[in-house]
Amino acid sequence: MISIERPIFIVGAGRSGSTVFHHMFCGHPGVAWLPGTLLNRFPERVDLARTAMRALDYPVVGAVLGRRIRPGECYPFWERLSRGFSAPCRDLTAEDVTEGARRRIRSAAARVLTRRRNRFLAKITGWPRIGFLSEIFGDALFIHVVRDGRAVVNSLLEVDFWRGWGGPENWMWGELSLDQREEWERSGRSFVVLAAIQWKILMDAMERASTTLGEERFMEIRYEDLCADTLGTMKRVVGFCGLPWERSFEHAVSAYRLKDNNDKYRENLTSRQRADLEAALGGYLERYGYPLERSGARL
């Protein structure tokens, strides 16, 4: 079995553009990834994932297979290796790692690798789980995909899997703090504000977790930059990961035509909802370099 070194994890709050970034990155011939098409249905069949990685490198077979299988977060796969990994009520830290989980995760990740695709790549959204994964892989690299929180909130309100409609008692982000509860109550229990609180909870968790890593192991990219300069952003990412810049990968990346749809929240939300959203996110938006729409927004 090939030894696993410097695995790469894509992390983010969700609805941040990490999926398209993940799919794009999986086009690099040096990375082995988790095929959701297979592992979501057969989470115990890691051998199928390795067979798929090998097949991708055959010209004709690989082209056909690449259209049939897609990368995924594969939570049934992770849950089988470590119970509770998929939906914890708080971020997972180094203290949550059991020896059994360590052995199973390291073994499973290594079994996906091939001689050609010898770097493991996975995407995990929601809680960063950086402390947990870093305890298992001491040399792991993490790439955080950031997007304007207003766009994230707008997207959360449009998807069928957002749990905020049932209130914070029924979601997976833990109990609200006293300040967060008061913020939600002041808004009239606005679901727009609740989704904003969720984004802030996850961004805070990311900041806490990433402080344990140096710049050689943690990279942050903005979805907006990925859209504006796709090739340049991917060159920075590949360089950060210590992977070679392959001509085939450049060709694959150049085929993407990304469109920054961040402004859709202006069409989908009312003026009052947009004002409440900026009041909830104001300081965070400024911290991450996103200009406020309304100079008079309550911060």
Side-chain angles (χ1 to χ4, degrees), residues 60-287:
V60 177
V61 175
V64 174
L65 190 63
R67 291 191 294 268
R68 291 181 176 272
I69 65 170
R70 306 294 288 172
E73 296 186 37
C74 301
Y75 288 114
F77 164 83
W78 290 106
E79 190 69 19
R80 185 174 181 273
L81 301 174
S82 179
R83 295 298 180 192
F85 185 93
S86 62
C89 67
R90 59 163 173 79
D91 193 16
L92 294 179
T93 68
E95 288 70 29
D96 296 309
V97 177
T98 66
E99 288 304 320
R102 187 196 309 273
R103 288 192 301 269
R104 289 190 295 269
I105 291 175
R106 286 193 63 90
S107 174
R111 286 162 58 198
V112 178
L113 304 180
T114 70
R115 291 190 181 278
R116 170 69 164 140
R117 297 176 176 271
N118 57 14
R119 294 288 295 281
F120 181 76
L121 173 67
K123 176 174 83 88
I124 296 163
T125 53
W127 295 117
R129 304 173 179 85
I130 286 176
F132 184 91
L133 292 167
S134 188
E135 173 65 20
I136 295 172
F137 303 103
D139 57 354
L141 308 180
F142 297 89
I143 303 171
H144 178 207
V145 182
V146 183
R147 187 183 187 186
D148 188 322
R150 293 164 296 196
V152 173
V153 167
N154 180 65
S155 184
L156 286 173
L157 296 172
E158 295 288 322
V159 296
D160 59 5
F161 54 81
W162 188 56
R163 300 184 183 180
W165 302 113
E169 296 80 11
N170 298 293
W171 66 1
M172 56 184 288
W173 313 116
E175 297 179 2
L176 295 182
S177 68
L178 181 59
D179 288 344
Q180 290 165 345
R181 172 64 66 172
E182 290 179 350
E183 180 181 10
W184 191 43
E185 295 292 345
R186 283 198 309 271
S187 74
R189 296 195 167 194
S190 163
F191 289 112
V192 171
V193 172
L194 185 60
I197 291 172
Q198 174 181 318
W199 186 72
K200 292 191 292 185
I201 287 172
L202 294 178
M203 296 301 281
D204 285 345
M206 189 68 65
E207 288 196 5
R208 287 193 299 269
S210 64
T211 57
T212 64
L213 307 173
E215 62 181 14
E216 71 282 356
R217 292 183 57 202
F218 183 81
M219 179 185 196
E220 201 162 73
I221 67 169
R222 287 164 41 121
Y223 170 72
E224 298 79 11
D225 295 336
L226 181 65
C227 292
D229 183 13
T230 305
L231 202 59
T233 301
M234 291 309 299
K235 283 183 177 179
R236 290 195 298 110
V237 168
V238 166
F240 167 75
C241 295
L243 290 164
W245 184 255
E246 304 272 1
R247 182 171 298 180
S248 62
F249 183 58
E250 180 171 343
H251 179 75
V253 170
S254 298
Y256 280 83
R257 296 292 182 267
L258 303 185
K259 183 179 180 181
D260 180 349
N261 290 317
N262 279 1
D263 287 344
K264 287 182 69 175
Y265 79 91
R266 292 192 174 98
E267 302 172 10
N268 292 345
L269 302 181
T270 67
S271 58
R272 171 60 187 273
Q273 289 169 333
R274 294 199 305 273
D276 287 345
L277 179 58
E278 290 212 338
L281 294 181
Y284 283 72
L285 293 175
E286 292 181 320
R287 185 188 312 171

